[in-house]
């Protein structure tokens, strides 16, 4: 990928930090939008909820990448936190998209999620599937629609419908590995529900691919071979040399994390159709490949 000037919002998160490191390796100039006082030349302070313009931060930018938003599984889904999940995505995205439009930035990559699809009940779905009529589905729809100003202005907008990202330092692996090492691992619920996954390496390479290639609209950032929750548990147990016999029922998860348990007990069988059809090649095409890499890269 050629070197570019890329403005990134949400760059202090897990995905953002890894992406920025890789883009620096390409020789790209990175400008980070931060919500605190800037501490370095490459940082620009912005208020995603205020009226102060940010257009000058985007001057000469080849692309804007927006990865901001409150974590879906970070807290219980109280009414207040559900509102934060929504507003922390839609309001900053709306402001960024308008700035992209006003500044004439040619490319915008905006985070989204496979929560768009809801529970697909084993059906394979592609990017053409309509949004689920539930909290996450409606949230993703509003999030994606918040980029309309950039699209209407002629910018190429790609929407990153990301699955569960697997790496040694991903939140999911940090939570699962100790449990499995203690011999307490197992599947969630029936285990038949599909688990949309992608390795961190492939997620980063997919974003680089989308920065460099003329792809627009929704893009499923998931591995090319869908796997079930039971397959995840069995593979991880095998790699850690631990049995994974336990069944963690949905009601137990809900007692611990509340409504957010929906992310673990439902399943979306998601196809990486747009990436595949545009010639993207995965480094980790199976759940075994991705988990082996994640476990051994610790």
């Amino acid at each position: 990928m050629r070197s570019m000037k890329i403005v990134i919002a949400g760059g202090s998160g897990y995905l953002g930090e890894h992406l920025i490191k890789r883009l620096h390796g390409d020789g790209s100039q990175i400008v980070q939008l931060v919500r605190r006082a800037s501490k370095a030349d490459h940082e620009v302070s912005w208020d995603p909820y205020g009226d102060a313009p940010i257009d000058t931060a985007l001057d000469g930018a080849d692309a804007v990448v927006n990865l901001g938003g409150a974590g879906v599984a970070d807290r219980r889904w109280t009414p207040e936190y559900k509102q934060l999940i929504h507003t922390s995505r839609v309001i900053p995205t709306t402001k960024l998209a308008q700035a992209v439009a006003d500044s004439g930035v040619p490319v915008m990559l905006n985070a989204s999620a496979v929560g768009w699809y809801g529970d697909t009940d084993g059906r394979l779905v592609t990017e053409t599937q309509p949004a689920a009529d539930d909290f996450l589905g409606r949230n993703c729809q509003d999030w994606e629609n918040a980029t309309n100003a950039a699209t209407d202005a002629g910018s190429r907008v790609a929407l990153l419908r990301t699955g569960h990202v697997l790496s040694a330092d991903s939140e999911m692996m940090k939570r699962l590995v100790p449990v499995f090492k203690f011999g307490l691992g197992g599947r969630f619920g029936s285990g038949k529900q599909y688990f949309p996954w992608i390795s961190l390496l492939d997620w980063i390479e997919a974003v680089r691919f989308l920065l460099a290639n003329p792809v627009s609209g929704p893009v499923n950032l998931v591995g090319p071979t869908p796997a079930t929750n039971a397959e995840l548990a069995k593979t991880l147990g095998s790699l850690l040399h631990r049995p994974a016999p336990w069944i963690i029922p949905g009601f137990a998860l809900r007692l611990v994390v509340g409504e957010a348990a929906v992310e673990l007990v439902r399943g979306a069988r998601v196809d990486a159709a747009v990436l595949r059809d545009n010639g993207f090649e995965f480094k980790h095409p199976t759940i075994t490949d991705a988990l082996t890499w994640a476990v051994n890269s610790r």
Side-chain angles (χ1 to χ4, degrees), residues 246-264:
W246 307 107
I247 300 173
I248 305 172
F251 77 85
L253 287 170
R254 283 187 288 273
L255 286 175
V256 176
V257 297
E259 193 180 352
V262 69
E263 277 291 273
L264 299 175

Side-chain angles (χ1 to χ4, degrees), residues 167-168 173 239-241 288-298:
S167 73
M173 291 294 287
L239 289 169
L240 296 174
H241 309 291
T288 300
D289 295 328
L291 287 173
T292 300
W293 173 77
V295 168
N296 292 329
S297 64
R298 296 186 67 84

Side-chain angles (χ1 to χ4, degrees), residues 274-295:
V274 170
L275 284 177
R276 181 184 62 248
D277 293 348
N278 282 278
F280 179 75
E281 296 183 3
F282 287 87
K283 304 293 185 183
H284 301 129
T286 70
I287 188 73
T288 300
D289 295 328
L291 287 173
T292 300
W293 173 77
V295 168

Side-chain angles (χ1 to χ4, degrees), residues 88-107:
S88 68
R89 286 160 170 74
V90 174
I91 294 177
T93 298
T94 300
K95 184 169 183 175
L96 271 175
Q98 188 61 58
V100 166
D102 294 342
S103 303
V105 179
V107 178

Side-chain angles (χ1 to χ4, degrees), residues 83-137:
Q83 184 62 40
L84 178 62
I85 289 172
H86 186 268
T87 58
S88 68
R89 286 160 170 74
V90 174
I91 294 177
T93 298
T94 300
K95 184 169 183 175
L96 271 175
Q98 188 61 58
V100 166
D102 294 342
S103 303
V105 179
V107 178
M108 181 177 186
L109 269 55
N110 201 79
S112 185
V114 293
W116 171 280
Y117 300 105
D119 190 336
T120 70
D121 195 27
R123 292 178 295 108
L124 186 68
V125 294
T126 69
E127 288 85 353
T128 60
Q129 180 78 12
D133 187 21
D134 59 15
F135 169 68
L136 291 178

Side-chain angles (χ1 to χ4, degrees), residues 149-223:
T151 301
D152 293 344
S155 299
R156 177 173 66 84
V157 177
L159 304 163
L160 314 178
R161 292 183 185 167
T162 298
H164 297 285
V165 181
L166 303 176
S167 73
D169 61 340
S170 68
E171 193 61 37
M172 174 159 284
M173 291 294 287
K174 287 192 293 185
R175 293 182 183 185
L176 286 180
V177 167
V179 173
F180 275 74
K181 282 187 173 180
F182 278 107
L184 300 175
R187 66 183 188 269
F188 300 121
S190 70
K192 295 180 181 179
Q193 68 272 32
Y194 278 84
F195 176 85
W197 61 273
I198 187 170
S199 75
L200 173 64
L201 178 60
D202 278 331
W203 185 89
I204 291 171
E205 292 307 306
V207 172
R208 292 177 67 246
F209 180 86
L210 294 171
L211 284 168
N213 290 276
V215 180
S216 60
V219 184
N220 292 333
L221 268 62
V222 295

